Amino acid sequence: MVNQLKAGAVLSYLSLFISSFISIVYTPIMLKLIGQSDYGIYSLATSATSYIGALMFLLGSAVIRYTSKYKSLADDERCSNLYGMFSVMYGVLGILALVLGVILILNVKYVFSNSLSIEEIHKLRIVIGIMVVSISLGIGLGFFSSIGLAHEKFIFQKVLGIVSSIINPLIMIPVFIMGYGVISMVIVTTLLNFITVLINIYYCFRVLKIKITFKKFDLNLLKEITVFSFFIFLNLIVERIYWSTDQIILGIYSGAISISIYTIGASFSGYFSGLSAAISNVFLSKVTGMVTKEVSDKEISDLFIRVGRIQYIVISFALSGFLVLGQEFINLWVGEAYNSSFLIAITLTIPMTVPLIQGIGGVILQAKNIQKFRTIVYFAIAIANILLSLLFVQWWGAIGCALATALAFTIGNIIIMNIYYWKKINIDIPKFWLNIIFMSAPFVISLVTGLTINKLLVSESWFIFVFKTIAFSMFYSLLMWFMGMNRYEKELLIPIFKNVMQKIRTRKLYKIS
């Protein structure tokens, strides 16, 4: 289990690095070949269908939670009955997703007719239609992808995700060069997603050897799962409101090009989220086990602080690096036409930092099945975000939408939730923040130093930018090692360094011999 957890976290970061690298290389090529308008349509379609796509994750945490519970009790029969129940529930959700998708397609013209041309609306309708088919299939058979995580087979899931992320652009770039556009891109993505589902099904039956039975539906358990999943689903809808509604509002008021500019800026918030989730996601089974064994609040609080410190090491590095080098990167990456994307990006990412380094908090609430309060708070703040975005977009356009999202994030995800973690969940939040404050010297020093150097050396080419990035990374790493990290965190890295050095020595000896 420990190896799976460690490997899962390492592979999560490897997957994030590969997908981010591919995105960095692939996005400017895609923008050049399909244009701002088509990219805006793709982003708008993705945002519109993301609300339906939230159904895909409705039961995932429940599968993990209840599988872990029955595995710890060594109750194979109840596990098999549980899988039968989940199979039916996923199938029903897949049909529901298809119905909702048809309703969305029929109403595209009425929602976006003010800002999109007739040709753009026609193309948007086709793209949404293909996405709906992909989402419906993914949800209907999504149970099998959750099973691997429930059995803590993180390596298989992460490797499958990495391979999929590599194959997609390798197919798409030749397709774009041949003159095919955004519709072809969505078709290819749909086919790859379906192949991934088939591989998951094969893995579950042939490798994990799961059994699915439909002998008995435990109505009490069904009710418990429904309540548990309902609040998780509301959380997912809130996330979609936070990260997808702005594109829809811009689609109503500003048009496809504004959506394109906003999406480039907002994409960085996705990279930041991935850095945090890469650690948090692999801890759900572990935390569920701790809760089942009724460990003390102090042990859970210590885990919250320990994981938060590790996340802060990564997030503070990414944030300081982006604040120093982000504007230059965007100019070199997609051009000066996307200058305002940097302001959108930092407006979104700075307030995100706090909930990201506290990502394990959401996992703890899921494991304890007490996410009701957070869901209610997030939902209320999400509604406020919509109202503020509708107001701000008319004053400041895309930047106004980002500002509304950041303000809502600060009130709900930072202020209210920290009080809740402290007062209701008995997590030692003052101790957590003392740890973060004492770790922040490397962040502040590297930020000030980097911004000062920026005034002396501007990145007018990728060569200078890469040189500055490497120098900044080394400077930050040294500062964090000597001023920020404790013994536990250093001991996590020392074996990795030793293994790397051992491999280097072995290769040198092999060459000499």
Side-chain angles (χ1 to χ4, degrees):
M1 181 190 300
V2 175
N3 288 338
Q4 283 284 333
L5 284 171
K6 288 183 178 179
V10 171
L11 284 172
S12 292
Y13 276 113
L14 178 61
S15 174
L16 180 64
F17 172 78
I18 291 173
S19 61
S20 299
F21 177 78
I22 290 172
S23 177
I24 289 169
V25 175
Y26 179 49
T27 299
I29 296 174
M30 178 172 58
L31 281 171
K32 183 178 180 180
L33 293 174
I34 69 174
Q36 275 188 317
S37 178
D38 269 17
Y39 183 70
I41 287 171
Y42 174 75
S43 301
L44 181 57
T46 303
S47 299
T49 56
S50 67
Y51 292 94
I52 301 173
L55 292 171
M56 188 178 297
F57 307 101
L58 174 59
L59 297 172
S61 294
V63 173
I64 296 172
R65 184 180 191 274
Y66 288 95
T67 298
S68 299
K69 178 180 179 180
Y70 292 134
K71 279 178 63 182
S72 65
L73 298 173
D75 194 338
D76 293 334
E77 183 178 351
R78 293 197 73 177
C79 253
S80 297
N81 287 328
L82 180 73
Y83 294 159
M85 184 184 299
F86 275 124
S87 297
V88 173
M89 294 172 74
Y90 269 95
V92 171
L93 289 177
I95 295 172
L96 176 60
L98 186 60
V99 173
L100 293 174
V102 171
I103 295 172
L104 175 62
I105 293 167
L106 294 175
N107 287 277
V108 164
K109 180 179 179 181
Y110 305 104
V111 177
F112 302 109
S113 59
N114 290 333
S115 61
L116 300 181
S117 67
I118 295 175
E119 182 182 350
E120 288 174 332
I121 289 174
H122 177 68
K123 192 176 292 184
L124 176 63
R125 184 176 285 164
I126 295 173
V127 171
I128 288 177
I130 299 169
M131 286 184 175
V132 165
V133 171
S134 176
I135 290 170
S136 300
L137 286 172
I139 293 173
L141 301 173
F143 162 72
F144 296 98
S145 61
S146 298
I147 282 293
L149 295 175
H151 285 261
E152 299 184 346
K153 300 301 180 182
F154 303 113
I155 296 175
F156 169 76
Q157 291 293 332
K158 297 302 179 184
V159 169
L160 185 60
I162 290 170
V163 172
S164 179
S165 66
I166 293 173
I167 290 176
N168 192 301
L170 291 179
I171 296 175
M172 283 315 310
I173 291 175
V175 169
F176 287 148
I177 291 173
M178 287 187 291
Y180 296 98
V182 66
I183 294 174
S184 299
M185 176 172 66
V186 180
I187 291 173
V188 170
T189 302
T190 299
L191 291 174
L192 288 176
N193 289 341
F194 184 65
I195 292 170
T196 301
V197 169
L198 293 178
I199 293 172
N200 273 311
I201 293 173
Y202 177 86
Y203 183 80
C204 286
F205 285 114
R206 295 301 299 270
V207 179
L208 297 180
K209 300 187 184 302
I210 67 166
K211 294 180 180 180
I212 301 176
T213 59
F214 302 93
K215 294 178 180 178
K216 181 181 178 182
F217 265 50
D218 188 333
L219 295 180
N220 290 328
L221 178 60
L222 178 61
K223 180 180 178 181
E224 185 179 337
I225 290 172
T226 302
V227 173
F228 174 81
S229 299
F230 174 74
F231 288 106
I232 291 177
F233 179 66
L234 285 183
N235 277 325
L236 291 170
I237 291 297
V238 168
E239 287 183 11
R240 294 301 181 271
I241 292 173
Y242 271 129
W243 304 119
S244 300
T245 303
D246 286 350
Q247 283 96 325
I248 294 175
I249 291 173
L250 287 169
I252 296 171
Y253 287 96
S254 301
I257 293 177
S258 291
I259 297 170
S260 180
I261 292 171
Y262 182 92
T263 301
I264 291 295
S267 65
F268 292 96
S269 65
Y271 300 147
F272 277 71
S273 295
L275 289 171
S276 173
I279 295 177
S280 297
N281 287 347
V282 299
F283 277 91
L284 180 55
S285 293
K286 177 181 177 64
V287 175
T288 300
M290 293 174 67
V291 172
T292 303
K293 295 175 184 177
E294 298 182 349
V295 301
S296 67
D297 288 339
K298 185 180 183 304
E299 290 181 76
I300 292 178
S301 182
D302 289 343
L303 178 67
F304 182 94
I305 294 170
R306 186 164 65 250
V307 175
R309 284 180 59 95
I310 295 171
Q311 288 174 319
Y312 183 69
I313 292 170
V314 178
I315 296 296
S316 65
F317 166 62
L319 181 61
S320 58
F322 186 69
L323 290 173
V324 171
L325 301 166
Q327 183 70 76
E328 294 179 345
F329 172 77
I330 289 175
N331 289 343
L332 290 169
W333 181 38
V334 290
E336 294 184 1
Y338 290 88
N339 257 337
S340 55
S341 294
F342 176 69
L343 185 56
I344 291 169
I346 62 173
T347 302
L348 293 173
T349 53
I350 290 174
M352 276 182 62
T353 302
V354 173
L356 288 182
I357 65 176
Q358 295 179 340
I360 192 69
V363 175
I364 291 170
L365 294 181
Q366 286 185 28
K368 287 177 171 285
N369 197 11
I370 52 172
Q371 64 268 26
K372 179 178 179 180
F373 176 81
R374 188 178 77 154
T375 301
I376 293 171
V377 170
Y378 281 16
F379 188 76
I381 297 300
I383 298 302
N385 177 33
I386 293 176
L387 297 175
L388 287 172
S389 294
L390 288 169
L391 181 64
F392 289 1
V393 71
Q394 299 179 60
W395 296 342
W396 304 302
I399 294 173
C401 285
L403 184 61
T405 300
L407 183 59
F409 223 89
T410 301
I411 295 171
N413 297 49
I414 299 177
I415 299 173
I416 296 177
M417 285 312 302
N418 269 260
I419 295 172
Y420 182 73
Y421 286 143
W422 182 20
K423 296 296 184 180
K424 296 296 182 181
I425 312 301
N426 298 320
I427 294 173
D428 195 342
I429 291 297
K431 183 179 179 182
F432 171 85
W433 281 112
L434 282 174
N435 274 266
I436 297 302
I437 290 170
F438 285 124
M439 292 178 69
S440 294
F443 171 81
V444 175
I445 295 172
S446 60
L447 181 61
V448 172
T449 304
L451 291 174
T452 302
I453 292 174
N454 265 358
K455 295 180 179 180
L456 304 174
L457 181 63
V458 178
S459 298
E460 296 179 348
S461 67
W462 280 111
F463 177 80
I464 297 175
F465 178 82
V466 171
F467 172 78
K468 287 171 67 174
T469 300
I470 293 172
F472 179 87
S473 301
M474 293 176 63
F475 183 63
Y476 171 90
S477 300
L478 289 171
L479 286 175
M480 184 57 73
W481 181 269
F482 290 107
M483 300 177 65
M485 297 173 67
N486 59 26
R487 181 179 297 178
Y488 169 77
E489 291 147 6
K490 291 178 181 178
E491 288 175 352
L492 290 175
L493 293 177
I494 288 173
I496 298 175
F497 292 148
K498 286 183 177 179
N499 287 336
V500 172
M501 294 305 296
Q502 181 63 38
K503 289 180 180 179
I504 292 173
R505 292 193 194 98
T506 302
R507 287 180 181 179
K508 286 183 177 179
L509 291 173
Y510 176 77
K511 288 180 180 180
I512 292 173
S513 62

